[in-house]
Amino acid sequence: MNRFAVIGSPIKHSLSPRIHTAYAKQLGIELSYNAIEVPEADFEAKLAILRSELQGANITLPFKERAFALADRASEAATQAQAANTLVFSDGNIYADNTDGSGLVRDLMSSLGLQIEGARVLILGAGGAVRGVLPALLHQNPKAIHLLNRTPAKAQALVDAFQDARLSLFNEQTNTQTFDLIINGTSAGISGEKPKIPDSAFNRDSFVYDMLYSLNDLTPCSEWSREKGLKFSDGLGMLIEQAADAFALWHAGQRPNTQAIRDELRAAQP
Ligand code: ATR
């Protein structure tokens, strides 16, 4: 039986085993998929063992950059992101991919029916999560993507790294235009903090997408959006779609239908 796992720290509450098991059942594939917690200092040593025991792994916080660094070969998405959320182990090699961006884009476009082409997009945050999704978002031809981060120098470093005329820093002092899509890519919500989105950035048609998700409550970002009367979504759909992309990579392109697991997990939400 083929074996897979999600590796991270913390990992206890990961939904990935449930999602991959559901996909496998749907497609009649036998596999095992576990969540493996690895202490921060031990990632490389543990992966050296797991790579011979598993056929593939999902990598989550805080190891995505270190996983990319261990790869022998990498997809364009992983290379642009300098981070991997999906590894394939075969013939003694590690292949790295990053399906976070494609997962986000599919959730935005197919599930939520949003148009990215021509849209003005504001992204909060400038860490690994944002870096990981920027290539896929830019690929959809938005009109502009502005980055707003607590530490502006980190946002500037991302703008410099991508060298794309559509990507720039958000400037609260000079901003006059609202955004069609606002994506929260900060980790502030984990500690219960609502996002700081300036009034000048949104109008009543703006859509707010939180890359964080919660099964039990609204995320702080979703709460903020509801208070402002804006349409919003958390990142559960992104998790489901990035998993489907990883699944297809591991199983010869067999792509699960994501609707059933989406319905099942959404039913548990408030
Ligand atoms: P990740 O891999 O989740 O992106 P990260 O690389 O540590 O993790 O980045 C976290 C992001 O969330 C950063 O943009 C961070 O802002 P700074 O660059 O200023 O650190 C942002 N962030 C974390 N906590 C925040 C808070 N309380 N308010 C605003 N932004 C926050």
Side-chain angles (χ1 to χ4, degrees):
M1 180 155 64
N2 285 342
R3 295 182 60 201
F4 301 88
V6 59
I7 300 167
S9 177
I11 202 70
K12 255 204 326 279
H13 299 294
S14 174
L15 291 173
S16 292
R18 187 165 161 188
I19 294 170
H20 278 270
T21 304
Y23 290 163
K25 195 167 164 208
Q26 183 195 114
L27 290 166
I29 294 171
E30 265 198 60
L31 56 77
S32 73
Y33 188 112
N34 299 309
I36 299 177
E37 172 123 14
V38 174
E40 275 213 52
D42 299 348
F43 178 70
E44 284 76 11
K46 186 74 182 167
L47 204 76
I49 300 167
L50 289 172
R51 62 185 287 178
S52 59
E53 298 175 350
L54 303 174
Q55 277 64 50
N58 282 132
I59 306 294
T60 188
L61 301 181
F63 299 128
K64 292 182 184 184
E65 285 84 1
R66 285 160 71 183
F68 174 75
L70 290 175
D72 301 294
R73 289 187 308 121
S75 68
E76 192 183 337
T79 305
Q80 282 183 305
Q82 296 284 296
N85 78 332
T86 305
L87 299 178
V88 183
F89 306 121
S90 67
D91 305 327
N93 281 323
I94 300 180
Y95 174 74
D97 199 355
N98 192 318
T99 64
D100 286 331
S102 55
L104 170 65
V105 162
R106 189 161 330 93
D107 193 38
L108 290 170
M109 292 172 61
S110 303
S111 309
L112 297 166
L114 300 172
Q115 189 174 331
I116 302 172
E117 185 170 359
R120 284 175 47 78
V121 182
L122 175 67
I123 302 183
L124 311 180
V130 170
R131 186 178 185 117
V133 299
L134 269 177
L137 286 169
L138 285 165
H139 193 69
Q140 294 301 323
N141 268 325
K143 185 168 181 205
I145 299 182
H146 289 214
L147 298 182
L148 171 59
N149 193 41
R150 179 177 62 182
T151 311
K154 271 175 73 181
Q156 184 61 52
L158 269 191
V159 170
D160 294 345
F162 275 80
Q163 293 284 315
D164 188 306
R166 296 162 299 176
L167 184 64
S168 61
L169 280 198
F170 175 78
N171 184 329
E172 194 171 350
Q173 273 72 48
T174 59
N175 181 57
T176 54
Q177 280 186 287
T178 54
F179 292 85
D180 305 302
L181 174 61
I182 299 172
I183 298 173
N184 177 34
T186 73
S187 48
I190 294 171
S191 48
E193 263 183 71
K194 290 184 184 167
K196 295 172 189 69
I197 302 174
D199 287 344
S200 70
F202 60 90
N203 62 43
R204 63 200 173 99
D205 294 321
S206 301
F207 191 101
V208 182
Y209 191 96
D210 189 2
M211 283 167 55
L212 294 179
Y213 66 87
S214 169
L215 271 197
N216 307 317
D217 307 296
L218 285 183
T219 65
C221 179
S222 292
E223 250 175 56
W224 179 90
S225 309
R226 191 171 64 176
E227 281 161 23
K228 297 286 179 188
L230 302 177
K231 290 164 285 178
F232 62 88
S233 171
D234 75 0
L236 183 63
M238 174 179 168
L239 177 81
I240 290 168
E241 296 299 334
Q242 64 76 30
D245 283 345
F247 192 95
L249 183 69
W250 290 330
H251 302 289
Q254 293 187 80
R255 165 165 286 284
N257 182 323
T258 56
Q259 192 60 48
I261 191 78
R262 184 181 293 276
D263 291 345
E264 184 185 320
L265 294 175
R266 287 271 181 236
Q269 286 190 310

